[in-house]
Amino acid sequence: MFLFMDISIINSFLVTFIAGLALIIGALLSLFIKSGKRDLFPLILSLTGGIMLFISFVDFLPSSIKLLSQFYSNEDAFRFAIFSFFFGLLTTTPVDMLLSFFQRKFLNRTVRPLQLKKKQHFELNFFIFLSITIHNFFDGIATFFSYFTDLYVAIPILVSIVAHNIPEGAVIFLVIFNMTRSKKKAFIYCTISALAGPFGAVVTIFILSLGVPAMLNGIIFAFLAGLIVNTALNELIPASEIKGTHQLSIKGIIAGMFFMAIIMIFFH
């Protein structure tokens, strides 16, 4: 009961809330995007995908192994981390299967996005929104745990999450606005997705109140790494190629990795 009044719990929740607000910032920035800039939307998708891939393999997964090695041998820590990684990779499989179904149904090679019916566009875009929101939920868990356990680990993770939440906020805003032509509805969807992070923190607080082993931190980092890779490979990068070109997608991925590398070098 008194856990909820702990100052470290409160601070961790506020940090998670700030990370969620990055989506709103991304939505606000998207207001300055002109409709004629057709390359920008797929570039944002691939840029986010590059950021996600880089932080998963360079930051989250190594952090998981390092944390687990405090409780197990190096070999067992590596095995637990890899198992958790693939568990996270497969967690959103049902959502990914639904998204793939709509992509195959509505975005086959003979149909261009501009030829889709309004209902078909909405169904596809809704699953893009849903997948990002589920990802933000687990981001909230990771941000909360990292800040609560180790400030040094939390800083680069928080920066990474904020960095990819901003373009994700722009993605959600543009996806919904292009469908509804309503800025209000676009901001509502962005707000819902942004609140998924703090909701993940609330779930984490509940778990902590039950007395969870400290080694769970390492499991969560590996799990999140798998989830992020899943989101990047199954949703963002394919969507960037559908809405843009393969060359533009590759450039966005590389740019995202380079951007994240500069941030990590600065904070490490």
Side-chain angles (χ1 to χ4, degrees):
M1 178 178 177
F2 294 101
L3 179 66
F4 294 91
M5 299 304 295
D6 191 295
I7 187 64
S8 60
I9 291 287
I10 297 175
N11 289 338
S12 299
F13 179 81
L14 289 176
V15 169
T16 305
F17 187 78
I18 292 173
L21 287 179
L23 275 89
I24 305 298
I25 295 176
L28 292 173
L29 291 177
S30 65
L31 292 174
F32 299 96
I33 298 176
K34 297 181 179 179
S35 58
K37 301 292 184 179
R38 295 182 179 180
D39 287 347
L40 192 54
F41 183 57
L43 182 62
I44 290 175
L45 289 170
S46 58
L47 184 73
T48 306
I51 290 173
M52 288 181 174
L53 291 175
F54 191 86
I55 63 176
S56 294
F57 292 115
V58 179
D59 192 349
F60 287 5
L61 196 55
S63 295
S64 169
I65 298 173
K66 180 180 179 181
L67 288 170
L68 289 172
S69 64
Q70 298 176 6
F71 303 93
Y72 305 100
S73 65
N74 291 335
E75 293 78 10
D76 288 340
F78 181 80
R79 294 190 185 99
F80 278 121
I82 295 302
F83 176 80
S84 302
F85 171 83
F86 280 100
F87 183 68
L89 194 66
L90 299 175
T91 295
T92 59
T93 297
V95 176
D96 296 331
M97 292 176 63
L98 287 173
L99 182 61
S100 297
F101 168 76
F102 283 106
Q103 287 178 334
R104 290 194 303 270
K105 183 177 180 180
F106 303 137
L107 297 180
N108 56 63
R109 294 183 179 180
T110 61
V111 179
R112 300 300 300 167
L114 293 178
Q115 296 174 313
L116 297 179
K117 296 179 181 179
K118 184 176 181 180
K119 181 180 179 181
Q120 294 173 332
H121 249 311
F122 178 80
E123 289 171 335
L124 174 63
N125 292 335
F126 176 77
F127 278 99
I128 293 176
F129 156 78
L130 181 63
S131 62
I132 292 178
T133 301
I134 293 174
H135 162 249
N136 289 335
F137 170 80
F138 288 102
D139 267 359
I141 294 177
T143 305
F144 184 92
F145 259 113
S146 62
Y147 188 89
F148 183 69
T149 56
D150 191 337
L151 181 60
Y152 177 78
V153 175
I155 291 177
I157 290 179
L158 175 62
V159 172
S160 301
I161 291 175
V162 168
H164 70 71
N165 272 359
I166 291 177
E168 281 183 0
V171 167
I172 293 175
F173 183 90
L174 291 174
V175 161
I176 303 302
F177 179 74
N178 288 338
M179 253 313 303
T180 64
R181 311 310 300 178
S182 171
K183 294 180 181 179
K184 181 180 180 180
K185 290 182 179 180
F187 272 114
I188 289 176
Y189 274 85
C190 285
T191 302
I192 293 174
S193 186
L195 291 176
F199 180 69
V202 171
V203 172
T204 306
I205 293 174
F206 176 74
I207 294 175
L208 287 175
S209 67
L210 300 178
V212 176
M215 53 81 62
L216 186 61
N217 296 329
I219 298 295
I220 288 178
F221 285 142
F223 175 84
L224 180 63
L227 185 70
I228 288 176
V229 170
N230 181 297
T231 303
L233 296 181
N234 284 337
E235 297 153 17
L236 297 180
I237 294 176
S240 72
E241 292 193 344
I242 290 173
K243 297 177 181 296
T245 64
H246 177 72
Q247 291 77 10
L248 183 65
S249 179
I250 294 300
K251 291 178 182 178
I253 293 171
I254 295 174
M257 290 183 175
F258 181 78
F259 171 72
M260 202 65 248
I262 295 299
I263 291 180
M264 290 183 64
I265 290 173
F266 177 78
F267 278 96
H268 279 278

